[in-house]
Amino acid sequence: MNPIDELKTVAQEVSECKKCALHHSRKLAVPGEGPATAEIMFIGEGPGFHENEQGRPFVGQAGKLLEELLAKIGMQRSEVFIGNVVKCRPPGNRDPEPGEIEACSNYLDRQIQAINPKVIVTLGRYSMARFLPNAKISAIHGQSTLAKGRLVVAMYHPAAALHQGSLKPVLEADFLRLPEMIAKAARNHEETPAEPEPKNDAKQLSLF
Ligand code: URA
Ligand code: SF4
């Protein structure tokens, strides 16, 4: 299936999914949004109050900060893909449970495969843990790492930066490095032929 159709199919399946208990409390599922040609995918945790109302990711305060950060690197949200680890709102914004993340993982995997982004930016712990299960965000934020055959950059969640002001300049500095990472990823891609994705990836190689 071509990437645009695959993204549409995933969104359709998500909108009526009942694979985990989160479907009971959702108003609207939030499949994620952005062009199939996006070079960057941002992956957050899960929908909050406003996202659940509107069926769109990052439309509250955290989303506003994400848009401001994108503007600092000359980008708009319409150019990137924005999604989440779980597509339905955990009640009261509680953390998603491992079983819920697992139940939802196939959707995110298919979105990543369809888009084939140059860089995946994880926002927050749960998103990071999907690619780098043992990493500590304070140690690796802003660094690019090869995980599951993908270039992954872990960043603090914008909501965390809103909550704890000292993290905001850290998040900003990490964002400012993104254009160079994308350029470098593009150069590496041209120089080295694509390798097949390792199946059980234990390799986490810091590239730059
Ligand atoms: N926080 C998230 O992790 N995802 C959203 O979509 C909104 C807020
Ligand atoms: Fe389905 Fe994911 Fe929603 Fe659970 S969170 S009901 S797995 S779409």
Side-chain angles (χ1 to χ4, degrees):
M1 205 183 294
N2 76 53
I4 294 173
D5 288 344
E6 173 70 346
L7 289 181
K8 277 190 197 150
T9 305
V10 170
Q12 175 60 36
E13 288 177 28
V14 163
S15 71
E16 40 193 52
C17 177
K18 295 182 178 172
K19 287 203 285 187
C20 85
L22 293 180
H23 83 272
H24 290 298
S25 50
R26 76 172 172 231
K27 183 168 179 183
L28 291 174
V30 181
E33 64 187 25
T37 51
E39 294 190 330
I40 314 180
M41 274 181 93
F42 289 93
I43 304 177
E45 182 170 314
F49 176 84
H50 296 285
E51 291 76 22
N52 182 52
E53 293 294 312
Q54 297 181 37
R56 297 183 57 213
F58 283 92
V59 289
Q61 286 305 310
K64 199 162 157 261
L65 178 54
L66 181 59
E67 284 171 25
E68 284 168 20
L69 291 164
L70 281 168
K72 282 188 199 287
I73 55 169
M75 296 190 82
Q76 298 184 345
R77 70 178 276 154
S78 57
E79 297 172 74
V80 299
F81 189 90
I82 305 177
N84 281 302
V85 168
V86 292
K87 317 295 194 198
C88 303
R89 182 193 184 205
N93 292 354
R94 67 157 170 76
D95 290 342
E97 289 172 2
E100 294 159 355
I101 294 172
E102 179 55 32
C104 212
S105 65
N106 176 258
Y107 299 127
L108 182 57
D109 287 343
R110 286 161 61 196
Q111 289 171 323
I112 293 169
Q113 213 181 350
I115 294 169
N116 193 20
K118 291 207 171 78
V119 179
I120 292 174
V121 179
T122 64
L123 300 172
R125 280 184 297 151
Y126 289 92
S127 176
M128 177 183 72
R130 247 185 129 257
F131 300 91
L132 307 161
N134 302 314
K136 274 191 79 173
I137 184 111
S138 57
I140 65 147
H141 69 85
Q143 295 172 22
S144 60
T145 306
L146 200 60
K148 298 190 178 183
R150 300 266 171 205
L151 204 60
V152 175
V153 185
M155 294 197 193
Y156 285 106
H157 197 291
L162 290 171
H163 197 70
Q164 194 181 330
S166 61
L167 292 180
K168 205 171 161 189
V170 178
L171 182 58
E172 246 177 62
D174 289 349
F175 249 81
L176 291 177
R177 298 184 57 223
L178 264 180
E180 175 56 22
M181 285 180 189
I182 295 163
K184 226 167 181 169
R187 283 201 296 275
N188 286 347
H189 194 73
E190 275 161 24
E191 282 160 19
T192 10
E195 275 181 48
E197 285 190 20
K199 277 239 156 36
N200 270 322
D201 182 53
K203 192 174 72 172
Q204 289 168 1
L205 177 70
S206 193
L207 288 184
F208 14 88

